[in-house]
Every structure is written in structure tokens, then in C-alpha cells.
Amino acid sequence: QQQLLQYLWGHHGNVQPFSDEDASIETLSHCSSFSDTTSVADEGGEASEDTAQEDFQYKLKGFIDSTVDKSAKTRQGALDGLKTAMATRILYEFISERRMTITDSIERCLKKGKGEEQRAAASLACLLCIQLGSGIESEEVFKTLKPIFKNILADGSANIQARQAVATSLGLCTLVAEDDILDVQATMECFENLFTRSYARMDGTCPSINPQTSQLHTNSLLSWALLLTICTPNQLKDILCKHLPKLPRLLESEDVNMRIAAGETIALLFELARDVDSFDDWDALCDKLNALATDCNKHRAKTDKRKQRSVFRDILKAVEEGDFQSEAIRFGTERMTIDSWVRKRTYDAFREFVGSGMNYHLQANEFIRDVFELGPPMLVDSATMKAMKISRFERHLHNSAAFKARTKARSKFRDKRVDVGEF
């Protein structure tokens, strides 16, 4: 059983398959279920698992080979297959041995591919760095890809979808694999060159920007905000002086996603710089945030207004009171609290790439656990897994009882209100 736990949790390629929808404790329990009855795995079972693993690795090798196929459709499928595998499994050993081959494929697809292929390649670069973690291996990968990322990002004639994807990938790859804080600052300046083009003019009018370009600027702003979380205090002080007076201009954008990204970035800046001198335009900023938190403009879509109001209520609290609406993330037998704008921005950045595999990576990926200060992966045996599981019928009974108790409590409360009124 000890070998099995190492097999499941170790920092190796030999890990049980996880689909996009199966990054949960139930999946892990299912994958280890063949050891439930005995402490020593059945020889036939081990052979079957080894065969399945060999088949899986054979498929991965096929994907890697297909990334250089003549057919764009085949290359796209291979990139997507590798992305899914890396988002939902720990493949460190397998990938580490082939990291430069995969990097060469990503480089080729970024340079010669079009649109969706470049987009997939940029995402795969991020997942590769997440798998390798922070260190020499990911630094080698990023050193090769960073110049290509920056060229695509700065090239106004490049495919806009590719530029959008690169804006997001460059931010996270820099967080994971950049080893020089001055290079981090240089990358942040690349992002600044883009999102500042969405600033409202001094007379209050907004520049005319199409939705695709606005999305590029939004992605650049979010990556810039992510890198704020690793800046030195001196860098932060310079950034505050330069950008905090101007960032509120992005709140005038016609794009709801840009308005929200700008608001969250402002909240993040205030959280990082609580000890700096008071902000000159404090009252004007709070008035603007309050207006967005209670927005009733008829020309805006209802869904946009609802989404915006909810977020800006939290942002206004952050700026006025230094408050943050905490959120608990449960994964397996553990839980993590998102209790700051820094942690939220970091969590959202990783989740964008691993998707529904985020819970699995929080359980098993040593690098991501280190980022969120979760300690080494926990070893949970199958008996504990089974004890934690609850049948659908039991869950239904529990929910019914809770609903009944809640109804009774509300009825009593209503009766009391009636009594008070009649008195």
C-alpha cells in the first residue's frame, strides 16, 4: 500500500488518469479503490495498472510527435491532448525528460502556427512550467519562449487571439520561471504598453477600442496585477506613484471585464500598499467605485450590471476599510482560505490554465502547494477516503432535514413578528 500511495502522490509521471471533471477526492478514491480490501495489491491488478500507464505514456508520446505534423488540425489536436493531460495529472518525470522536445514544439507552433494553434501552444507553455515548478528546468523553458511571447505581444499585425493568449501565459510563466526581478519589471512594462491604451482621456472620453483589443488589454492588466504580487517594496512604491492616480481611468471603460479587472487591480494595490502615504484622490475614487457598485445605467446589459455591482461592493470595502470577502476552497480532506486580493489573483491565474483540475493540483502538485503554503502533499489511505464519502440518498436525507429545520425556524420568526405587530 505504501508503494501505491507513492505511486499516486509522488512527484512522478506514474499517476492515475484524471479527466477534466474528476479533480476531486472521489476520483482519488476511485483510482486507489483496488487496494481497499487488502494491504498488498493483487499482482494481476498491478500488471493491469502498469499496462494502462504504458498505454497512456504511449499516447502522450504520440501527441508530442504529432505537434510537428504537416496538418494544422493534427497539431492542434496534439496540443489540446497534451494540455488536458498536464491540467489533470502530475507528469513531472515524464515531462522533465522531454521538456526541451516539448519546448521546441511549442516554439515552432508559436512561430509558424495561426490563431488557435498559437493560443493552444501558449497555454501549453504555462502548463509545462506549472508541471516543472520553479527552478532551472522551467527557467530553461521560459528562456527559450519569452522572446517569442514578447514579439507576438508587441506585434500589432499578429493574430489577436494569439496576442490575448500570450498576454495571459507570459504573466504566469514569469511568475513561475523568471529568476531576475529586473526582468519581471521589464515584462510588466510590456503589459503597461498595452493596457494604458484603454485609459480614459483627461476630458473623460474613452478611446475607441474594439472588443477583441479590449480583451487583450484586460488580459495584460490581469497579468500585470499578478506580477505585482512578487514585486519588491521599492518597486511597489514606484508603481504606486506612477499608476495609482491613472488606473481609475480604466473604470470608465465600456467593457465590463475591463472595469472589473481595473477595480480588482486597484483593490490589490491598496492591499499591497497599506503603509504608503494617503492617496490624494481618495474621495473621488470611492465615489466612482460606489457608482459602479450601484450602477443603474439603462444602456448596459442587466447581466453586466449584476456582475459588476457584486464585485464592486467588495472592491469598495477593500479600498475604504481594507476588508476582503474570504472564500474557502475544499479539496480532498483539506481546505484553503482565499483571504486576500493577492491570493485571489494568484489562485485565479492558476485556475485559468488547469481548470477543473485545480483541486487535484492543490492536493498533489508540490509547486502549487508551495505557492499557497499548504505544505507537502498529504497521504490519505483508502479507508479514510471511503469514510468521507456519503451516498446520494444520505445526502438527500441530510438536505431534507436541513430544509425542514430552516422552514420551522423561519415560521417561528414570522410568528414572533406578527405577535409584536399585534401588540
Side-chain angles (χ1 to χ4, degrees):
Q1 188 173 7
Q2 186 177 4
Q3 287 179 338
L4 172 64
L5 290 170
Q6 289 173 346
Y7 174 88
L8 285 168
W9 286 105
H11 204 46
H12 302 293
N14 296 334
V15 172
Q16 276 294 302
F18 279 73
S19 73
D20 275 348
E21 294 150 0
D22 288 342
S24 67
I25 195 70
E26 291 188 8
T27 306
L28 192 58
S29 176
H30 173 73
C31 289
S32 59
S33 62
F34 59 85
S35 66
D36 285 348
T37 54
T38 59
S39 59
V40 180
D42 178 77
E43 290 182 6
E46 281 188 354
S48 175
E49 291 301 319
D50 289 343
T51 302
Q53 191 60 33
E54 286 173 9
D55 289 345
F56 170 66
Q57 291 194 357
Y58 180 78
K59 186 182 288 187
L60 278 185
K61 290 172 186 174
F63 285 147
I64 293 171
D65 291 341
S66 295
T67 57
V68 295
D69 195 89
K70 290 182 179 180
S71 164
K73 187 175 181 180
T74 302
R75 294 196 303 271
Q76 177 76 45
L79 292 170
D80 288 339
L82 289 170
K83 279 171 55 185
T84 300
M86 290 191 200
T88 53
R89 313 183 188 201
I90 302 300
L91 301 168
Y92 174 78
E93 187 175 292
F94 179 88
I95 286 172
S96 180
E97 294 170 356
R98 300 165 176 82
R99 66 184 183 280
M100 295 319 294
T101 303
I102 298 171
T103 303
D104 290 343
S105 295
I106 293 171
E107 181 181 5
R108 192 178 294 107
C109 291
L110 284 171
K111 284 181 174 178
K112 298 184 178 180
K114 306 291 182 186
E116 282 299 318
E117 184 180 338
Q118 291 175 299
R119 190 178 189 132
S123 296
L124 182 60
C126 250
L127 288 163
L128 179 58
C129 287
I130 289 171
Q131 287 279 343
L132 295 173
S134 189
I136 293 175
E137 292 173 327
S138 60
E139 286 170 16
E140 285 179 348
V141 170
F142 188 49
K143 187 177 181 181
T144 301
L145 299 178
K146 182 169 68 170
I148 304 165
F149 277 162
K150 288 192 172 183
N151 285 340
I152 293 172
L153 193 62
D155 184 0
S157 64
N159 180 279
I160 190 65
Q161 289 187 333
R163 295 179 75 200
Q164 290 169 356
V166 164
T168 303
S169 296
L170 178 58
L172 190 57
C173 284
T174 302
L175 181 83
V176 175
E178 186 59 84
D179 62 342
D180 188 334
I181 195 65
L182 293 178
D183 286 338
V184 171
Q185 191 169 352
T187 299
M188 291 179 74
E189 288 172 2
C190 293
F191 294 134
E192 289 168 16
N193 290 336
L194 292 171
F195 72 75
T196 53
R197 297 176 191 177
S198 283
Y199 280 165
R201 301 184 186 95
M202 293 304 292
D203 62 2
T205 59
C206 294
S208 179
I209 295 172
N210 65 54
Q212 292 284 354
T213 302
S214 182
Q215 186 62 56
L216 169 64
H217 294 177
T218 302
N219 291 2
S220 298
L221 176 62
L222 289 171
S223 285
W224 183 80
L226 178 66
L227 298 182
L228 282 175
T229 65
I230 58 171
C231 284
T232 65
N234 286 336
Q235 284 179 317
L236 274 176
K237 195 168 288 188
D238 292 340
I239 288 167
L240 280 166
C241 293
K242 182 180 178 182
H243 288 284
L244 192 53
K246 298 177 183 177
L247 276 172
R249 293 192 210 166
L250 292 174
L251 300 174
E252 306 292 340
S253 172
E254 290 296 317
D255 183 349
V256 64
N257 293 321
M258 173 57 89
R259 293 196 299 274
I260 289 172
E264 291 184 341
T265 301
I266 289 168
L268 175 65
L269 270 172
F270 271 93
E271 180 178 272
L272 288 168
R274 280 291 161 194
D275 298 329
V276 298
D277 297 333
S278 59
F279 177 52
D280 292 339
D281 296 323
W282 177 278
D283 292 336
L285 174 60
C286 289
D287 288 344
K288 193 171 287 187
L289 294 175
N290 186 58
L292 290 167
T294 57
D295 190 359
C296 295
N297 282 342
K298 290 183 179 179
H299 71 278
R300 285 180 181 156
K302 285 184 179 179
T303 51
D304 285 355
K305 285 189 286 189
R306 194 177 301 118
K307 178 180 176 184
Q308 174 184 289
R309 285 195 292 254
S310 173
V311 174
F312 274 94
R313 281 194 292 269
D314 293 337
I315 292 169
L316 183 60
K317 280 185 181 179
V319 172
E320 286 185 331
E321 305 166 22
D323 190 28
F324 181 84
Q325 188 69 38
S326 295
E327 178 187 359
I329 307 294
R330 296 181 183 276
F331 50 98
T333 59
E334 302 170 85
R335 65 182 272 170
M336 174 181 75
T337 303
I338 306 294
D339 55 3
S340 67
W341 291 99
V342 168
R343 188 165 265 213
K344 180 182 186 302
R345 178 80 284 274
T346 308
Y347 177 82
D348 288 347
F350 280 109
R351 189 179 59 180
E352 182 158 354
F353 288 97
V354 299
S356 58
M358 187 64 183
N359 282 3
Y360 173 60
H361 278 273
L362 285 170
Q363 287 175 287
N365 187 312
E366 291 183 11
F367 166 67
I368 287 184
R369 289 182 67 86
D370 187 49
V371 168
F372 292 104
E373 300 175 332
L374 297 171
M378 292 177 62
L379 299 180
V380 182
D381 59 33
S382 56
T384 306
M385 299 279 190
K386 291 186 75 175
M388 289 173 59
K389 291 178 73 176
I390 180 171
S391 72
R392 184 178 295 180
F393 180 65
E394 289 173 314
R395 194 157 53 241
H396 172 71
L397 289 178
H398 172 77
N399 290 339
S400 296
F403 177 77
K404 198 170 184 179
R406 193 162 57 244
T407 304
K408 281 184 177 182
R410 286 174 179 169
S411 297
K412 287 180 183 178
F413 181 66
R414 290 190 188 103
D415 290 344
K416 285 180 182 178
R417 284 192 299 180
V418 171
D419 290 344
V420 171
E422 289 177 350
F423 232 58

